[in-house]
Amino acid sequence: MRLPLEPIRGMRDLIPPESDGLEYVGNAFADVASRYGYELIILPTIELFDLFAIKSGPEIKRSMYVFTDKGGRQVCLRPEFTAGVARAYLRLMRDRPKPVKLFYVGPAFRYEEPQAGRYREFFQAGVEFLGDPSIYADVELLLLIRDYYRSVGLSDYKIKMSTMAVYRSLFREWGMPEETQDLIIHYIDKKQLDDALKLVRQYNPSGIPLIEELLDVNSPEPDEIRSRVSGLELNPESVKEIGRLLRILELARNLNVGDPYVDLGFARGLAYYTGFIFEVVVPDAGFSIGGGGRYDRLVSVYGGEDLPATGFALGLDRLLLVLSGKGWNPPKRHARSALIALAEDYVLIDDVASKLRGLGLSVDVRVTSRKKLDDVLSDIAGRGYEYAVFLGGREVKEGAVTVKNLVRRTQKTLSLERLGLEDLP
Ligand code: HAM
C-alpha cells in the first residue's frame, strides 16, 4: 500500500527553521509569564465536547473536531485552553488563595478553512488570571504582552479594545436572554450588523439607534470617545463600563503597550466574555495574532462560584509568520561542532564529545579513517558548523584535540585536561 506523504489538510510537519522558531517563541513566553508570577498548567488535548459547547459560541462550536471515543463519550480536540483551565481550577485549585495565575503553551485544533496563518492545528501561548476583578489584572495582561513581544523583537502591533459589558448590560435591561445576547455578539464579531440589529429590534426597537451609535465608536483618543458617548442614553452600568475601558486605554497608552485604540464595533467569537476584550493586530497581516478578555461568569457556568477572571491567548504560528516576514531567525541554541575522530576508541570519543557538550557546543561525531578524511572534510563544509575538532593519532598521544574555527579560519591544539570555552580559537 502506498500511503500519501502529505499530512492531513490543515496539519503541518514542522522542521527547522519553523520548528526551532516555534520552540523559541514558546520558551520565551514561558519565561516572561513566569517572571510575572504565572505558573504552568498542562491540560489534556482531548476534553468532553460539552465543556466547550456550553460557552464557546457558534463559530468555535462549529469548527470543533468532535468524535465519540471507544467508551462512547462525545469528546473533542481542544479548540482553546480557557474552558479547560476553568474546569481544572474547579477541580484542583478552588481552595487556593486568590488570585490564581496560570500560563500554558501548546497545540489547539479548529476545523476551519486553511489559509495563510490559519491552520487546523496551531499553537497558542496564553495566561488566565483568576480571582481578581480589578483593572490592574486586565492591564497586567497587556504589560505581559508588551514585554513578551519586546523580548522576541516585535514592536509594530496594535491593541484593539472594547467591552462586552456595555452591550450585555443594555441587553439585560431590555429583557434579552443570555443566548440571544451571545448570538448578537456573534453577529457583531462576524460584521453581520443587520442580523444583530434584527434581533435587537425584537426586544427594544427604540434601542437600535443607540446600538448603532455605539458600534460606530472607534478612536485611540480617550477624550474623543468620551465626547462621542456623552450624549448617548446609556444606563449607569454601561457608563461605568465605558469609564473602565477608557481607564485601561489611558493606562495602555502611558505604559507603551502597542498602539492601543478603542473600537466598540468589535466583538470576539467566544461567548464567555463579560467585560473588557481585546485583540492584537499587526497592520497588513490580515489576522489577529492574539486575543483575550474578561470572563467573570465562566466558572459559575461550570457549577462553581462567581469568579472574576481575565486572560488571553497568542497565536504563535502567526507571530512566527510576522517575525519571519521581517527576516527574523531563531537564535541558535548551541554553536555547532563536528568532532572528527580518526581512532575508533569510543571511550575516548565519548570523553571528548562530552567535554565539548559540557562547554555548550552541539557535537556531531564523525568516525573516519585517514583515507576517507578528505571526503568527511568536504562533507562537513557548508553545513553551518562553527568548529571542526580533530582527534587523530597525534592528538591521542598528546591527550589533546585540534580545534579549527571554521568561521574565523583559526586553529589551536588544546590539552584535553584544560579544555575551556575561552581557549577555543
Ligand atoms: P482566540 O482569539 O480564539 O482566543 O485565539 C487566540 C489566538 O489564537 C488568535 O488571535 C490567533 O492568533 C490564534 N488562532 C486562532 N485560531 C487559529 C488558527 N486556526 N490558526 C492559527 N492561529 C489561530 C482564544 O482562544 C481565547 N481562549 C483567548 C482567551 C484566553 N480569552 C481569555 N483567556
Side-chain angles (χ1 to χ4, degrees):
M1 187 170 88
R2 242 182 105 95
L3 274 180
L5 299 180
E6 284 286 310
I8 289 170
R9 188 165 153 74
M11 302 286 154
R12 291 161 300 156
D13 298 318
L14 294 171
I15 60 170
E18 284 83 8
S19 53
D20 283 340
L22 201 57
E23 195 205 19
Y24 180 82
V25 294
N27 287 343
F29 184 82
D31 187 50
V32 178
S34 68
R35 283 171 204 266
Y36 269 80
Y38 292 79
E39 294 178 288
L40 178 64
I41 182 163
I42 298 177
L43 292 165
T45 315
I46 298 178
E47 295 267 13
L48 283 179
F49 170 69
D50 282 346
L51 179 75
F52 298 98
I54 301 179
K55 249 337 190 172
S56 288
E59 199 188 349
I60 297 221
K61 209 165 132 184
R62 259 203 307 272
S63 66
M64 266 194 271
Y65 277 89
V66 188
F67 55 98
T68 307
D69 75 3
K70 288 185 179 167
R73 302 169 198 90
Q74 202 185 26
V75 297
C76 68
L77 300 182
R78 64 177 173 219
E80 56 120 29
F81 290 73
T82 311
V85 170
R87 182 190 58 69
Y89 164 81
L90 277 176
R91 192 171 87 85
L92 301 168
M93 290 172 282
R94 218 168 163 171
D95 298 332
R96 288 202 188 177
K98 309 293 175 291
V100 173
K101 295 169 63 177
L102 302 164
F103 80 90
Y104 46 83
V105 180
F109 304 82
R110 294 183 194 173
Y111 198 87
E112 298 177 299
E113 203 41 42
Q115 52 178 259
R118 192 195 285 164
Y119 314 102
R120 289 181 175 171
E121 179 179 19
F122 57 96
F123 292 82
Q124 283 193 340
V127 306
E128 308 300 342
F129 193 142
L130 306 172
D132 185 344
S134 76
I135 275 188
Y136 175 73
D138 298 307
V139 172
E140 184 178 279
L141 305 181
L142 302 179
L143 295 176
L144 203 170
I145 288 175
R146 176 198 67 186
D147 289 358
Y148 172 55
Y149 285 148
R150 210 177 260 167
S151 81
V152 295
L154 181 74
S155 55
D156 52 346
Y157 60 92
K158 287 175 180 273
I159 304 276
K160 172 166 74 171
M161 48 179 89
S162 180
T163 170
M164 288 299 100
V166 172
Y167 296 106
R168 286 196 185 275
S169 89
L170 291 169
F171 295 162
R172 256 197 314 276
E173 188 187 314
W174 300 341
M176 202 183 278
E178 198 154 319
E179 301 79 68
T180 314
Q181 297 177 25
D182 293 350
L183 194 55
I184 296 182
I185 286 168
H186 165 72
Y187 286 141
I188 297 176
D189 174 43
K190 294 278 109 197
K191 303 279 175 239
Q192 293 170 236
L193 298 188
D194 288 346
D195 293 318
L197 295 175
K198 210 185 283 169
L199 279 178
V200 173
R201 188 168 293 119
Q202 285 176 21
Y203 289 85
N204 184 10
S206 61
I208 289 199
L210 171 59
I211 298 297
E212 281 178 324
E213 288 275 352
L214 282 172
L215 290 173
D216 200 39
V217 173
N218 182 332
S219 170
E221 298 297 333
D223 283 342
E224 192 185 330
I225 298 162
R226 241 176 236 116
S227 80
R228 287 282 307 269
V229 298
S230 65
L232 302 179
E233 272 184 47
L234 295 166
N235 59 17
E237 196 184 336
S238 39
V239 170
K240 198 176 105 214
E241 284 303 330
I242 287 185
R244 190 186 159 101
L245 179 65
L246 290 177
R247 181 95 183 94
I248 296 176
L249 173 65
E250 277 161 353
L251 285 165
R253 280 163 70 108
N254 293 340
L255 297 165
N256 300 316
V257 179
D259 247 343
Y261 67 101
V262 159
D263 177 0
L264 294 184
F266 133 75
R268 290 191 27 81
L270 291 146
Y272 48 63
Y273 294 111
T274 52
F276 172 62
I277 54 165
F278 68 95
E279 278 185 5
V280 188
V281 196
V282 172
D284 308 329
F287 46 60
S288 297
I289 59 169
R294 187 161 273 286
Y295 53 99
D296 289 343
R297 278 193 287 282
L298 185 62
V299 170
S300 65
V301 167
Y302 295 140
E305 64 279 14
D306 254 342
L307 183 79
T310 188
F312 67 77
L314 307 179
L316 295 184
D317 315 83
R318 294 185 181 179
L319 171 64
L320 277 181
L321 273 182
V322 172
L323 288 177
S324 56
K326 295 177 193 299
W328 180 87
N329 272 309
K332 279 261 159 282
R333 240 180 312 213
H334 303 285
R336 295 182 57 215
S337 74
L339 170 59
I340 299 161
L342 289 158
E344 257 184 82
D345 179 342
Y346 293 118
V347 173
L348 180 61
I349 291 171
D350 172 53
D351 181 41
V352 176
S354 298
K355 282 198 167 105
L356 293 168
R357 290 183 186 122
L359 297 182
L361 303 186
S362 91
V363 184
D364 281 339
V365 176
R366 304 294 295 259
V367 184
T368 182
S369 60
R370 192 154 289 284
K371 224 166 81 199
K372 297 225 174 98
L373 181 60
D374 282 346
D375 293 347
V376 171
L377 290 179
S378 68
D379 187 48
I380 69 161
R383 285 211 190 192
Y385 288 113
E386 213 161 304
Y387 298 101
V389 182
F390 295 91
L391 187 59
R394 182 173 64 88
E395 283 87 0
V396 172
K397 218 179 292 156
E398 292 173 7
V401 281
T402 299
V403 184
K404 201 168 174 175
N405 186 318
L406 299 173
V407 182
R408 293 196 204 133
R409 299 182 177 282
T410 49
Q411 173 171 327
K412 261 185 184 174
T413 297
L414 299 169
S415 146
L416 271 176
E417 286 290 286
R418 41 164 286 272
L419 193 60
L421 207 50
E422 61 290 350
D423 303 318
L424 297 181

